């Protein structure tokens, strides 16, 4: 039941970073690093991963200059590092230049996210050009546009053995020249430069009409307009053919790396203990399914632990609106979370920390670390998912647990304040809104939720029962949007909650909702007395 497998595997070209190798790899490195900080449970990160892998493969030939990497902030042991690096939204892309020095300001530079491999590559090149403008990135080929109107400066500052220069003339805001220069940077005896069509002097001097154009130039300034063509690959082929005629060869292959997989046995010996564990898991899964819409203490505690450790204590310094939201969050947890005495004392200690003008995430992390020690009697269960466990580690887990936690809180606030006319109907929803806005690591989800709160007039909710129903309705709206999405766990397809067979009365004959019955069902499913411990039926 252990989670924590990330979205990337050693078979991908993405370098997997962790707290253990981050400093060793990234700090004082001869290469630059482009690192994605992500959360394996975040749907946006899951949708992002294929294009990130594609980028790593696409620019594999540049890996002696810049490495494409990823670090999973949802893994417990990486949380402190993500806090130090002030990663507040997922995924976040940061560029760490070559020879990056460790120190208090080792945050790297944020790089814009693209939608696909092409836009990722363009944003990376924008960063590399900025690096060279700022005087770094000297290991890269010259990526700054050639500014002269004649070709006589193409060999300036090139190594003595450079025999040919290739000048790519292209439209502004295109990246072909830089891409080809990077792709061919290992080819000895050539230099690739680019200029844009707004270098009108050069265009006029050499009668260049079509774009992009590739021009070859030798040391004696003899030049030739090579066949112009559009794509990165086509231009490389043009250059390769030219060089072949001169008995030279393009070198764009990365040196082959032998990856040791550890598989030297021809026969796979089944691990009996893992087979037995797998059977036990299947049996437990079936049992949980049969139990229906019940809430497990283990899921609530695991969600709470994750939220405190990975979303709150990862903020370096909590102040202002965030601090107020934290206080309110701890306040409702102290009122309604199904904790014993140890847990109550733990929440009180956190609340005391949060009562000062500002609180450091690391101070909270220390309180949590002590609470997680075996003899502390705060948590009743190991940090594992039960009903929120997905069919693979990247499915379900934390977002499932967070929904359940807030449904549980709305229902328990309604139950406990049944005779309290003065209770605030937004007691839980306001905190959830603040939490999702300020701490929830899935940036996309947070945006959607805030938009939905505005569109569906969350602030007009006028009773605690309506707040239970508002959250149910909001969650169903998200379920509808995500039904069939690639982030959906195939074993747990999204549906409109509750299922008809679980609550036949919840739907009217015309398939509209019977809200009185839905409320009754929610109050039962998320009631305090129905919280199950593993082993209890
Ligand atoms: P979940 O939707 O997480 O549901 C968990 C459990 O809650 C279910 O198993 C069921 O028992 C119960 N449940 C389901 N529906 C209801 C309901 N209507 N009322 C009461 N109980 C219910 N992912 C995105 O990709 N894009 C988003 O914009 C997005 N927004 C999110 C906003 C929030 C506030 C949260 C907490 C998560 C968001 N997610 C989003 C994640 C997404 O909603 C799911 O949590 C995730 O895909 C895991 O799905 P799941 O199958 O575990 O079921």
């Amino acid at each position: 039941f252990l989670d924590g497998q990330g979205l990337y595997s050693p078979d991908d070209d993405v370098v997997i970073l962790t707290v253990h190798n981050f400093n060793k790899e990234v700090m004082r490195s001869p290469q630059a690093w482009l690192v994605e900080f992500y959360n394996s449970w975040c749907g946006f990160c899951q949708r992002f991963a294929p294009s990130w892998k594609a980028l790593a493969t696409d620019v594999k030939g540049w890996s002696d200059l810049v490495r494409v990497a990823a670090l999973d902030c949802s893994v417990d042991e990486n949380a402190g590092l993500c806090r130090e690096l002030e990663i507040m939204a997922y995924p976040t892309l940061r560029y760490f230049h070559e020879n990056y020095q460790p120190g208090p300001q080792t945050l790297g530079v944020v790089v814009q996210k693209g939608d696909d491999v092409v836009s990722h590559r363009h944003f990376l090149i924008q960063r590399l050009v900025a690096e060279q403008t700022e005087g770094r990135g000297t290991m890269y080929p010259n990526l700054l546009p050639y500014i002269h109107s004649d070709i006589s400066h193409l060999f300036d500052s090139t190594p003595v053995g450079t025999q040919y220069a290739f000048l790519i003339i292209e439209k502004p805001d295109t990246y072909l020249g830089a891409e080809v220069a990077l792709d061919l940077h290992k080819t000895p005896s050539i230099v690739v430069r680019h200029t844009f069509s707004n270098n009108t002097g050069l265009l006029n001097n050499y009668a260049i009409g079509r774009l992009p154009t590739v021009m070859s130039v030798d040391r004696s300034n003899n030049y030739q307009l090579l066949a112009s063509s559009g794509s990165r690959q086509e231009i490389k082929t043009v250059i390769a053919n030219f060089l072949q005629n001169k008995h030279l060869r393009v070198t764009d292959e990365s040196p082959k790396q032998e990856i040791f997989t550890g598989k030297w046995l021809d026969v796979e010996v089944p691990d009996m203990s893992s087979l037995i564990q797998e059977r036990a898991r299947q049996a437990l899964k079936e049992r949980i399914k049969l139990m229906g819409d019940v809430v497990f203490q283990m899921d609530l505690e695991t969600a709470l632990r994750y939220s405190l450790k990975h979303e709150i204590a990862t903020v370096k310094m909590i102040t202002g609106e965030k601090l107020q939201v934290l206080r309110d969050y701890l306040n409702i947890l102290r009122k309604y979370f199904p904790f014993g005495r140890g847990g109550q004392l733990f929440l009180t200690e956190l609340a005391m920390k949060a009562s000062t003008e500002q609180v450091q995430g690391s101070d909270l992390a220390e309180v949590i670390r002590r609470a997680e020690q075996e003899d502390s009697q705060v948590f009743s269960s190991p940090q594992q998912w039960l009903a929120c466990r997905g069919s693979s580690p990247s499915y379900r887990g934390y977002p499932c647990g967070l929904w359940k936690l807030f449904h549980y809180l709305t229902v328990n606030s309604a139950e406990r304040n049944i005779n309290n006319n003065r209770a605030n109907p937004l007691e839980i929803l306001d905190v959830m809104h603040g939490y999702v806005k300020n701490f929830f690591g899935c940036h996309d989800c947070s945006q959607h939720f805030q938009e939905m709160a505005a569109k569906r007039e969350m602030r007009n909710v006028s009773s605690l029962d309506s707040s239970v129903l508002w959250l149910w309705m909001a969650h169903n709206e998200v379920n509808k949007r995500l039904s069939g999405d690639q982030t959906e766990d195939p074993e747990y397809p999204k549906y409109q909650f509750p299922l008809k067979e679980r609550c036949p009365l919840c739907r009217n004959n015309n398939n509209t909702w019977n809200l009185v019955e839905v409320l009754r069902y929610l109050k039962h499913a998320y009631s305090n007395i129905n919280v199950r411990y593993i082993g209890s039926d």
Side-chain angles (χ1 to χ4, degrees):
F1 281 77
L2 279 177
D3 287 355
Q5 249 174 42
L7 299 177
Y8 302 94
S9 85
D11 295 339
D12 299 319
D13 292 316
V14 176
V15 181
I16 299 173
L17 295 173
T18 67
V19 67
H20 302 297
N21 64 0
F22 183 83
N23 274 345
K24 193 170 136 268
E25 296 281 8
V26 177
M27 296 296 136
R28 299 197 179 92
S29 159
Q31 298 99 13
W33 287 77
L34 181 61
V35 186
E36 180 209 3
F37 294 88
Y38 72 97
N39 245 326
S40 45
W41 51 263
C42 140
F44 190 80
C45 302
Q46 291 163 15
R47 286 187 283 269
F48 186 85
S51 65
W52 198 242
K53 290 179 194 176
L55 175 75
T57 304
D58 185 83
V59 300
K60 202 171 160 184
W62 314 354
S63 63
D64 54 326
L65 310 173
V66 56
R67 315 280 326 253
V68 176
L71 188 140
D72 186 354
C73 291
S74 68
V75 173
D76 262 11
E77 56 182 14
N78 294 339
L81 176 64
C82 296
R83 175 177 55 243
E84 285 307 310
L85 293 170
E86 298 179 22
I87 307 295
M88 300 301 297
Y90 302 101
T92 288
L93 305 182
R94 296 261 180 95
Y95 175 90
F96 297 86
H97 63 70
E98 70 281 5
N99 197 22
Y100 209 92
Q101 298 298 317
Q105 286 307 318
T106 48
L107 301 183
V109 177
V110 172
V111 172
Q112 206 174 327
K113 294 187 283 279
D115 303 320
D116 54 19
V117 60
V118 175
S119 47
H120 288 326
R121 194 173 62 231
H122 291 172
F123 287 131
L124 169 59
I125 291 175
Q126 279 179 15
R127 181 68 244 155
L128 304 189
V129 171
E131 288 290 301
Q132 289 194 328
T133 315
E134 291 161 18
R136 290 183 300 275
T138 50
M139 70 284 193
Y140 298 119
N142 190 345
L143 301 175
L144 303 179
Y146 182 73
I147 50 168
H148 304 281
S149 57
D150 70 82
I151 55 178
S152 62
H153 296 278
L154 276 168
F155 289 90
D156 291 358
S157 322
T158 60
V160 189
T162 311
Q163 297 183 46
Y164 295 101
F166 295 92
L167 181 61
I168 296 167
I169 304 118
E170 59 185 312
K171 288 187 190 149
D173 300 323
T174 55
Y175 299 86
L176 273 173
E179 285 167 352
V180 174
L182 285 157
D183 284 344
L184 300 186
H185 77 275
K186 292 189 196 126
T187 304
S189 41
I190 69 163
V191 59
V192 178
R193 296 292 308 273
H194 69 280
T195 191
F196 295 115
S197 52
N198 51 13
N199 184 348
T200 46
L202 189 125
L203 263 71
N204 290 336
N205 285 342
Y206 300 94
I208 290 160
R210 284 179 56 195
L211 296 173
T213 284
V214 187
M215 183 189 244
S216 68
V217 183
D218 68 15
R219 279 227 169 238
S220 311
N221 285 345
N222 298 311
Y223 72 91
Q224 200 181 330
L225 295 184
L226 304 180
S228 44
S229 191
S231 79
R232 171 184 173 195
Q233 192 49 49
E234 284 163 337
I235 290 179
K236 283 198 291 182
T237 308
V238 165
I239 293 176
N241 291 342
F242 176 90
L243 290 177
Q244 204 175 14
N245 286 337
K246 310 283 179 197
H247 309 291
L248 294 169
R249 221 166 50 87
V250 157
T251 318
D252 61 355
E253 297 277 306
S254 310
K256 291 252 179 308
Q257 283 180 11
E258 285 300 323
I259 298 169
F260 176 63
T261 59
K263 277 189 185 164
W264 60 77
L265 289 177
D266 285 344
V267 188
E268 294 237 342
V269 181
D271 174 354
M272 291 314 286
S273 65
S274 66
L275 281 182
I276 292 166
Q277 271 176 17
E278 189 47 43
R279 268 196 211 138
R281 274 176 199 158
Q282 287 301 336
L284 185 58
K285 197 164 97 184
E286 289 311 313
R287 198 169 132 216
I288 289 169
K289 273 195 174 166
L290 283 175
M291 286 167 83
D293 294 321
V294 297
V295 179
F296 287 97
Q297 179 76 13
M298 195 147 127
D299 284 331
L300 292 180
E301 286 187 7
T302 300
L304 177 64
R305 286 162 86 158
Y306 189 93
S307 127
L308 293 172
K309 275 197 289 193
H310 288 269
E311 301 206 303
I312 293 174
T314 48
V315 181
K316 206 164 192 178
M317 185 64 79
I318 307 173
T319 55
E321 182 179 322
K322 273 191 164 50
L323 184 58
Q324 191 50 51
V325 170
L326 171 61
R327 288 178 188 150
D328 295 343
Y329 181 51
L330 290 169
N331 190 30
I332 57 167
L333 290 170
R334 287 167 73 195
K335 278 165 98 173
Y336 306 117
F337 194 85
F339 255 155
R341 193 173 145 66
Q344 281 299 334
L345 290 173
F346 163 62
L347 292 174
T348 306
E349 194 178 349
L350 288 175
M352 277 171 64
K353 291 262 178 215
S355 65
T356 49
E357 228 167 80
Q358 52 183 28
V359 58
Q360 287 189 20
S362 54
D363 282 354
L364 301 176
E366 177 52 25
V367 178
I368 301 162
R369 192 192 60 74
R370 276 189 273 113
E372 291 197 308
Q373 284 171 352
E374 263 174 34
D375 55 355
S376 74
Q377 300 192 338
V378 172
F379 298 104
S380 68
S381 50
Q383 190 184 346
Q384 289 166 2
W385 300 113
L386 205 53
C388 280
R389 182 180 160 80
S391 64
S392 89
S394 56
Y395 292 130
R396 312 193 75 219
Y398 180 58
C400 167
L402 195 67
W403 275 123
K404 285 194 180 246
L405 173 62
F406 278 106
H407 284 301
Y408 172 86
L409 292 170
T410 53
V411 164
N412 283 275
S413 157
E415 279 190 334
R416 294 261 284 276
N417 290 294
I418 203 151
N419 295 319
N420 178 4
N421 296 335
R422 291 188 314 174
N424 171 10
L426 288 168
E427 180 183 35
I428 308 297
L429 291 184
D430 260 348
V431 178
M432 179 172 181
H433 187 273
Y435 182 89
V436 169
K437 178 176 168 209
N438 286 279
F439 292 109
F440 194 34
C442 174
H443 189 248
D444 236 25
C445 309
S446 169
Q447 285 300 118
H448 285 142
F449 189 79
Q450 288 176 62
E451 284 162 20
M452 186 164 56
K455 194 178 82 190
R456 298 281 182 181
E457 299 181 340
M458 185 193 91
R459 294 215 57 82
N460 287 345
V461 165
S462 57
S463 72
L464 285 168
D465 280 354
S466 319
S467 83
V468 173
L469 284 171
W470 189 91
L471 193 58
W472 159 80
M473 176 277 305
H475 192 170
N476 266 349
E477 193 167 316
V478 178
N479 293 340
K480 194 169 172 189
R481 180 153 43 84
L482 295 179
S483 172
D485 186 78
Q486 68 182 97
T487 59
E488 181 177 72
D489 187 335
E491 285 194 26
Y492 298 88
K494 299 273 188 292
Y495 60 88
Q496 292 297 286
F497 182 97
L499 286 171
K500 200 170 180 177
E501 54 266 35
R502 297 248 167 92
C503 178
L505 295 177
C506 285
R507 286 171 170 85
N508 297 316
N509 285 341
N510 58 1
N511 216 20
T512 54
W513 291 107
N514 178 336
L515 295 182
V516 174
E517 289 302 326
V518 170
L519 183 63
R520 200 195 306 272
Y521 188 83
L522 289 166
K523 283 192 164 179
H524 175 76
Y526 287 101
S527 144
N528 178 271
I529 51 166
N530 273 329
V531 173
R532 304 295 167 95
Y533 287 82
I534 177 72
S536 63
D537 281 330

